[in-house]
Amino acid sequence: MNDFVIVTDSCCDMPRSYMDEKQIPFVSLTCNFLGNEYKDDFGVSLSYNSFYEGMKSGEIPKTSQPNADAFYAVFEKIVKEGKSILYVGVSSGLSGTYNSANIAKNMILDAYPNANVELVDTLTASLGQGLMLIKAIEMQNNGANLYEIKSFIEDNRLRLNTYITVDDLNHLKRGGRISTTAAILGTVLHIKPILTLNDEGRVIAIHKAKGRKSAISKLAEFVCKKIEKPEEEIVCICHGDIEKDALKLKEAILSEVKVRDVLINPIGPVVGTYGGPGALAVFFLGKHRQNHLIDVNLK
């Protein structure tokens, strides 16, 4: 039962060094940018700096999910080795990627009836998905079987808290997250919304901060209020080409709670298309993600 491979997709935004070290197979989403189509492959084909500098210059990227054939190619190679598969995927509430994986699973089972392909929807993205990937790999290394890991993710995914702030509301507007009116008013009033993911894995607004400093303080406050057994947990922080703010957030968190580790990494091009330059997000396991008052609606 332990002869299985953990697979993910590029929305997990993990450091490429981690993906290479752990030899984790992944399926790339794509980003159309500056007239070219790039694989979202953790900064290799399109560097984080080039992507965000282009956005700052006014370029508008477009993203596309992988089709079922892309998943099939990755799955088939593993199945031919006689191994089972556990796919740890981006939220189905944010992308159709999970659906493509499910179609590929059925294609595999048609071609290889004895194959074992399990999918788990993390109901999150970026380093939230990456955090679940880390947990899955650690559990596998400690002897857990495929179904124990899948059950852990399903049982704990609503404890995976996500808090996000963005610098430019227009990227959210283009992604359909907020209205044009809200984007204009927010920009004029220097409002920095705090966003989270609901139980369906969709983006919702929960707070309006006045200015960047206030937004960073609010993110840290949410971590300190909602994390449980912090000394056992990894806090993941990702950013849209603004590492200095990620470090400020790390410092604010560590001044209040002591955690096992803090992972900081840039947001990849696909997720970064919707957050834009200056986006900042924090992910951690703690209290149920909806255990707070929703106090704002940016729609």
Side-chain angles (χ1 to χ4, degrees), residues 91 93-94 123 125 162 164 166 172 175-178 193-206 271 274 289-290 297-299:
S91 172
L94 296 174
L123 296 178
T162 301
I164 313 157
V166 296
L172 287 171
R177 304 304 183 196
I178 63 173
I194 305 297
L195 311 169
T196 191
L197 295 179
N198 65 12
D199 286 356
E200 291 73 47
R202 299 180 186 276
V203 176
I204 58 172
I206 57 168
V271 178
Y274 302 97
R289 62 169 65 173
Q290 293 299 90
N297 184 357
L298 294 180
K299 286 290 187 181

Side-chain angles (χ1 to χ4, degrees), residues 214-238:
S214 175
I216 293 173
S217 295
K218 196 65 179 180
L219 292 180
E221 180 184 326
F222 276 128
V223 175
C224 296
K225 283 185 176 180
K226 300 204 67 183
I227 197 167
E228 295 180 315
K229 298 181 180 179
E231 66 281 355
E232 299 177 9
E233 299 298 340
I234 299 172
V235 172
C236 295
I237 300 172
C238 59

